[in-house]
Amino acid sequence: MEAQHPADGQVKVAIIGSGNIGSDLMYKLLKQPGHMELVLLTGIDPASDGLARARSLGIRASHEGIKETWTL
């Protein structure tokens, strides 16, 4: 079975975890996105520094997981 790819060739991705590792990965994806488009950073702490950083960079961020934001 062949995978379907968007017309622009980029795959939308979300990072689960807004701590140090998730934030580091966010910066790496923004610096060199390749075929990935970061569309969401999610965590469990609404006061997370990582979520605040993502929002300041224009990345959608949520402390409610991916359920409410599934339609990326």
Side-chain angles (χ1 to χ4, degrees):
M1 176 183 280
E2 188 173 321
Q4 297 284 326
H5 296 286
D8 65 2
Q10 287 198 315
V11 176
K12 293 181 180 189
V13 297
I15 296 173
I16 300 173
S18 60
N20 290 336
I21 294 172
S23 294
D24 182 56
L25 181 55
M26 174 183 69
Y27 288 120
K28 288 177 180 175
L29 280 173
L30 293 174
K31 185 176 179 182
Q32 295 183 335
H35 66 279
M36 294 180 280
E37 175 190 1
L38 179 60
V39 295
L40 174 69
L41 179 72
T42 186
I44 59 171
D45 180 4
S48 164
D49 288 339
L51 294 179
R53 286 188 207 110
R55 288 184 187 107
S56 74
L57 295 168
I59 304 298
R60 194 169 169 187
S62 171
H63 67 278
E64 298 175 352
I66 62 171
K67 184 178 180 182
E68 296 299 319
T69 56
W70 188 249
T71 54
L72 305 173

